[in-house]
Amino acid sequence: MTQRIVLVTGGGRGLGKNAALKLASKGMGIILTWNSNEKEAQQVVDDIHQLGGKAAALPLNVGDISTFPRFVEQMQETLQTQWQCTMFDYLLNNAGIGITAPYSAFTEAQFDQLLNIQFKGPFFLTQSLLPLINQGGRILNVSTGLSRFALPGYSAYAAMKGAMEVLTRYQAKELGERGITANIIAPGAIETDFGGGSVRDNAQLNAYIASQTALGRVGLPDDIGDAIAALLSDDLAWMTAQRIEVSGGMFL
């Protein structure tokens, strides 16, 4: 069977890195993107090569849609050079940032930065890549538990993720004729460097979140990487337009 190829945006660190490694371990070819740290991304590529897999890393600023035409060209060149093909199979829209501030103090500049990276970028990047996605492909977007429960400081971030959840249903509806599914995974609090690593490094915050989670602990990157690998497996090919929260039962 021809190797399936996955594009993982923001695959050089955090959940994207974990997902790239998990998917590679399932035999998938990986193209990951980086924005500010090429060295980290290349290390992930090297790790996948050591696993016996095939991978490549490309630069991408998801928040700047003017760069997308060049990125699509680089995707085409990479697919042809490394896989001798012109199309890929799965898109994981993972790249993102977090900005927290009280609603009363949130600035337009902060809002626009989040909008460009968390919603406008994935909206138009996916659109730009549609000609390269195979029939029967998959789109997996990333949301957050914060679109279900509310915590102070996350108004704009959660609103952008809520928009991504609505977009996912529309993608499923409009791309279904090509056999392309679209789903969205919503992690809870995870021990990564996201948001300055507060969930991972602040023992008091970590303990509080664990106390409010049904399974009694904060999530780990492996929890989400394994879930992403499962969602992109053949076993779930009939599932589309779904929001899947993977939070261990946070704030039930």
Side-chain angles (χ1 to χ4, degrees), residues 114-214:
L114 275 178
L115 176 67
N116 288 336
I117 294 172
Q118 300 287 16
F119 183 61
K120 184 178 180 180
F123 185 106
F124 286 104
L125 179 65
T126 304
Q127 182 193 76
S128 299
L129 290 167
L130 286 178
L132 304 186
I133 299 178
N134 271 318
Q135 183 90 359
R138 314 270 187 91
I139 297 166
L140 183 58
N141 298 316
V142 177
S143 183
T144 173
L146 291 158
S147 65
R148 175 177 61 83
F149 50 79
L151 293 175
Y154 292 94
S155 58
Y157 177 80
M160 305 304 172
K161 292 300 192 181
M164 285 300 300
E165 292 181 10
V166 174
L167 174 62
T168 299
R169 295 197 293 273
Y170 275 84
Q171 289 172 331
K173 183 74 170 180
E174 297 196 28
L175 302 177
E177 63 183 9
R178 290 181 53 192
I180 295 174
T181 68
N183 294 290
I184 188 161
I185 185 171
I190 307 294
E191 292 186 5
T192 69
D193 60 359
F194 189 80
S198 57
V199 172
R200 179 192 61 199
D201 302 332
N202 184 323
Q204 185 176 0
L205 176 61
N206 191 291
Y208 170 71
I209 293 172
S211 73
Q212 300 299 312
T213 301

